[in-house]
């Protein structure tokens, strides 16, 4: 495991369990989260932003009801995407089980002779399956173009991508792409789709105007998941077998930077401002936060076994992690707490620039039993091991005592001369010595600083006591300390 990296910004809020084996989780932007429970539970479970289960949707459908020949079959929900107004969810199904389906594809299968799968179109108002669309063999990832024109589906076994017309619910074309396509992202201009070919070391760029192809080579073994920046300048890819995230310039189609996270990084999510990535590390049982400007891993937090899906709720600054072992865990990103002016607090590492980077270089320690060289056995690019042994959702949680969960000693906290109904937060640290040092240096500059321990979050705030009008003092702090400080009201 990594030792704590100076500042821990992800704080566990809630763990959901019971009758789920979530392969993925996706947020529709309107308060709903869809978790795909694949072949062990054959359901899609829907939650609201209060962590409540609002609907359980079975994957059983009667083909005759949707214009296909056959009887009742079951699917196996893998991934989902939403139309860009959040009204419809499009859900891929691993294989179909029932009459007429005798030759299912699999993770180790390759070719066009296997049974085709289906994508379900689900209405988020009534949770009904409005349409089912036959695609290729073992459909996995889906992406909706921002103009809501196309749904693109990567078909793992049949080595192609299905392009669905979102208005007619019909497949327009199937495009061969190579062995084991997985992640897909469409740029914000709806001009290009990028497709990770997990059975290789390359990414396809597909034109949505003329369907021409270009390639990004040598990204690493088994590229899996893709995100794109809001200005379309950078593409980010999790490379499963290389245990890293790469940053790609979409103009030159070349890699600009990379960073290692945990073992077998799988799904990712990017913040709306493109400043951070959240990544689940399947074999490490962790979730990482990565700063995109310099590809720095800000923190890495423990999760339940086999984290594999992830989504982000920007309204609540929450990261939802789907663990294949039978859990959904919700983490609060404490660095994105809204400030007085309604903006999100920027990354605490970035705002302190040279000062805090110096502290981080002093406090970061890596202890992975030999560092990053002794990692778990990598997953073969031709076998993503989607069909894991049936998880034990009610398994006993291992007893853990971690330094990250311990509050700082009261004796180490600087006591203010007075208390306040509101504070200006200028830093947050795992290392109490670093928090104390910043508070003392800020006091020397004429500000009244103190440290505030958070036993729940496991870190220490460096806080200023306002002198006079809160708004004016807030602006003064930001100007004189060159810090994007934020207001905290205990």
């Amino acid at each position: 495991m990594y030792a704590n990296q100076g500042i821990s910004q992800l704080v566990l809020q809630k763990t959901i369990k019971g009758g789920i084996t979530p392969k993925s989780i996706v947020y529709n932007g309107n308060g709903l989260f869809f978790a795909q429970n694949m072949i062990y539970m054959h359901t899609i479970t829907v939650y609201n932003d209060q962590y409540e289960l609002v609907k359980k949707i079975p994957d059983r459908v009667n083909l005759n009801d949707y214009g296909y020949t056959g009887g009742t079959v079951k699917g196996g929900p893998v991934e989902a995407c939403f139309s860009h107004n959040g009204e419809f969810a499009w859900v891929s199904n691993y294989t179909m089980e029932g009459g007429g389906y005798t030759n299912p594809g699999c993770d180790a299968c390759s070719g066009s002779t296997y049974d085709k799968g289906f994508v379900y179109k689900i209405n988020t108002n009534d949770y009904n399956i409005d349409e089912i669309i036959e695609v290729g063999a073992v459909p996995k990832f889906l992406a909706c173009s921002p103009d809501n024109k196309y749904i693109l589906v990567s078909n793992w076994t049949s080595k192609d991508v299905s392009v669905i017309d979102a208005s007619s619910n019909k497949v327009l074309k199937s495009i061969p792409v190579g062995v084991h396509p997985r992640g897909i992202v469409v740029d914000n201009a709806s001009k290009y789709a990028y497709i990770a070919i997990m059975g290789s070391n390359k990414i396809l760029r597909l034109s949505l105007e003329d369907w021409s192809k270009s390639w990004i080579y040598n990204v690493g073994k088994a590229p899996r998941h893709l995100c794109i920046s809001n200005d379309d300048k950078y593409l980010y890819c999790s490379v499963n077998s290389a245990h890293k995230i790469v940053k790609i310039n979409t103009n030159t189609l070349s890699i600009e930077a990379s960073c290692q996270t945990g073992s077998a990084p799988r799904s990712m999510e990017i913040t709306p401002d493109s400043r951070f990535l959240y990544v689940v590390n399947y074999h490490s049982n962790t979730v990482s936060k990565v700063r995109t400007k310099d590809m720095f891993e800000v923190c890495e937090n423990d999760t339940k076994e086999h984290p594999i899906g992830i989504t982000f709720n920007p309204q609540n600054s929450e990261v939802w992690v789907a663990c294949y072992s039978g859990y959904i865990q919700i983490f609060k990103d404490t660095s994105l707490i809204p400030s007085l002016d309604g903006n999100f607090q920027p990354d605490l590492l970035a705002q302190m620039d040279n000062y805090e980077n110096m502290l981080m270089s002093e406090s970061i320690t890596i202890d992975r039993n030999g560092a990053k060289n002794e990692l778990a056995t990598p997953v073969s690019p031709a076998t993503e091991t989607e069909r894991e042994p049936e998880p034990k959702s009610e398994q006993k949680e291992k007893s853990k005592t971690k330094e990250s969960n311990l509050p700082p000693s009261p004796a180490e906290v600087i006591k203010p001369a007075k208390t306040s109904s509101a504070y200006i937060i200028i830093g947050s640290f795992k290392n109490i010595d670093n928090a104390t040092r910043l508070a003392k240096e800020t006091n020397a500059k004429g500000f009244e600083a103190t440290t505030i321990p958070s036993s729940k979050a496991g870190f220490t705030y460096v806080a200023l006591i306002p002198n006079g009008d809160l708004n004016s003092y807030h602006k003064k702090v930001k100007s004189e300390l060159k810090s994007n400080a934020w207001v905290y009201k205990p």
Side-chain angles (χ1 to χ4, degrees):
M1 294 296 297
Y2 279 118
N4 294 314
Q5 295 199 4
I7 297 176
S8 181
Q9 298 178 351
L10 300 179
V11 180
L12 183 63
Q13 302 293 296
K14 178 75 173 179
T15 297
I16 298 170
K17 63 178 181 178
I20 57 174
T21 53
K23 183 69 174 64
S24 64
I25 189 161
V26 185
Y27 180 50
N28 80 333
N30 299 324
L32 294 178
F33 300 81
F34 275 48
Q36 287 58 245
N37 296 300
M38 212 176 148
I39 54 178
Y40 301 117
M41 295 298 174
H42 286 285
T43 62
I44 301 154
T45 46
V46 183
Y47 305 88
N48 62 23
D49 55 12
Q50 301 301 307
Y51 321 134
E52 299 167 328
L53 176 66
V54 296
K55 188 69 176 180
K56 182 180 288 187
I57 306 170
D59 65 6
R60 186 184 299 269
V61 295
N62 189 316
L63 297 178
N64 296 312
D65 293 340
Y66 296 92
Y68 293 91
T69 301
T72 299
V73 296
K74 293 191 296 183
V78 180
E79 298 276 359
C81 72
F82 289 99
S83 54
H84 283 262
N85 55 11
E87 184 178 0
F88 295 103
W90 301 78
V91 180
S92 59
N93 287 272
Y94 186 86
T95 54
M96 308 307 293
E97 300 177 15
Y101 291 92
T102 59
N103 189 30
C106 65
D107 283 344
C109 301
S110 180
S112 58
T113 61
Y114 296 90
D115 294 336
K116 291 186 176 182
F118 279 87
V119 168
Y120 294 173
K121 182 181 181 181
I122 300 174
N123 192 313
T124 62
N125 294 310
D126 56 18
Y127 307 111
N128 288 327
I129 301 173
D130 285 356
E131 301 282 348
I132 67 172
I133 301 98
E134 189 178 61
V135 289
V138 187
K140 295 226 175 167
F141 204 80
L142 314 91
C144 179
S145 59
D147 60 8
N148 286 320
K149 188 175 181 180
Y150 300 123
I151 307 296
L152 290 96
V153 187
S154 58
N155 301 305
W156 178 272
T157 295
S158 56
K159 304 182 295 184
D160 54 14
V161 169
S162 298
V163 181
I164 298 172
D165 183 317
S167 59
S168 68
N169 305 309
K170 303 293 184 183
V171 174
L172 296 178
K173 57 179 66 227
S174 295
I175 301 172
V177 296
V179 177
H180 304 321
R182 204 4 172 128
I184 305 175
V185 69
V186 181
D187 67 15
N188 296 282
S190 299
K191 182 178 180 180
Y192 292 110
Y194 296 87
I195 301 149
I197 311 301
M198 199 168 172
S200 73
N201 65 354
K202 60 187 179 179
I203 297 168
L204 168 65
R205 184 168 78 172
L206 178 68
S207 169
L208 300 186
E209 297 174 347
D210 61 10
W211 311 108
S212 60
K213 300 175 183 178
S214 52
W215 295 91
I216 304 168
Y217 294 98
N218 301 317
V219 298
K221 186 178 180 182
R224 186 185 189 272
H225 194 97
L226 299 170
C227 294
I228 197 164
S229 61
N230 56 12
D231 59 6
D232 291 335
K233 290 182 178 179
Y234 294 103
L235 183 69
Y236 301 92
C237 178
S238 64
V239 187
N240 184 76
S241 293
H243 316 290
K244 67 180 181 180
I245 311 300
V246 297
K247 180 179 182 178
I248 299 164
N249 185 311
T250 58
N251 183 42
T252 63
L253 300 186
S254 61
I255 296 173
E256 284 203 356
S258 67
C259 72
Q260 285 194 300
T261 57
S263 179
R266 296 273 173 108
S267 299
M268 303 187 297
E269 185 64 277
I270 193 167
T271 55
D273 61 7
S274 304
R275 296 180 66 245
F276 301 107
L277 289 167
Y278 304 104
V279 185
V280 287
N281 305 302
Y282 188 77
H283 290 312
S284 294
N285 300 325
T286 58
V287 56
S288 296
K289 179 181 177 180
V290 174
R291 191 172 60 205
T292 57
K293 74 172 185 179
D294 54 3
M295 296 304 286
F296 178 81
E297 187 188 46
V298 176
C299 59
E300 184 176 0
N301 288 54
D302 289 338
T303 66
K304 297 291 188 180
E305 189 178 11
H306 294 329
I308 195 164
I310 194 165
T311 195
F312 180 60
N313 176 5
Q315 292 95 333
N316 293 343
S317 306
E318 288 181 340
V319 181
W320 289 54
V321 174
C323 299
Y324 212 17
S325 51
Y327 301 89
I328 297 169
Q329 293 188 289
I330 298 97
F331 294 84
K332 184 84 166 181
D333 189 333
T334 59
S335 78
L336 301 180
I337 298 172
S339 62
L340 189 67
D341 58 9
N343 296 318
F344 282 123
Q345 171 206 4
D347 176 24
L348 294 170
L349 290 174
Q351 70 179 249
M352 298 308 294
D353 294 329
N354 294 336
Y355 177 82
E356 194 161 9
N357 286 331
M358 178 270 291
L359 294 182
M360 287 295 294
S361 67
E362 292 178 354
S363 61
I364 292 176
T365 56
I366 302 294
D367 180 11
R368 209 175 239 180
N369 299 324
K372 293 180 182 283
N373 294 326
E374 294 185 19
L375 296 168
T377 303
V379 178
S380 164
T383 307
E384 198 192 358
T385 59
E386 301 282 4
R387 281 186 182 265
E388 303 288 344
E390 186 164 359
K392 299 176 182 177
S393 59
E394 302 298 330
Q395 60 184 309
K396 274 191 175 182
E397 184 177 356
K398 294 180 181 178
S399 175
K400 298 181 181 178
T401 302
K402 289 198 171 289
E403 183 184 356
S404 61
N405 295 324
L406 299 177
S409 168
E412 298 175 302
V413 177
I414 295 177
K415 298 296 183 182
K418 59 185 178 182
T419 58
S420 177
S421 59
Y423 297 89
I424 308 295
I425 306 299
I426 62 169
S428 174
F429 296 84
K430 273 292 184 184
N431 188 317
I432 183 66
D433 292 335
N434 291 337
T436 302
R437 186 185 311 173
L438 176 58
K440 288 180 178 178
E441 291 189 5
T442 307
N443 275 322
K445 295 178 181 179
F447 293 88
E448 189 172 1
T450 185
T451 55
I452 302 175
S454 172
S455 58
K456 180 179 179 181
F459 53 76
T460 303
Y461 292 120
V462 178
L464 305 183
I465 297 175
N467 181 7
D469 177 71
L470 182 62
N471 280 315
S472 299
Y473 192 78
H474 188 206
K475 292 178 181 177
K476 177 183 177 181
V477 169
K478 292 165 73 173
S479 174
E480 295 188 16
L481 294 183
K482 307 299 181 185
S483 168
N484 290 297
W486 53 280
V487 173
Y488 169 60
K489 295 183 178 180

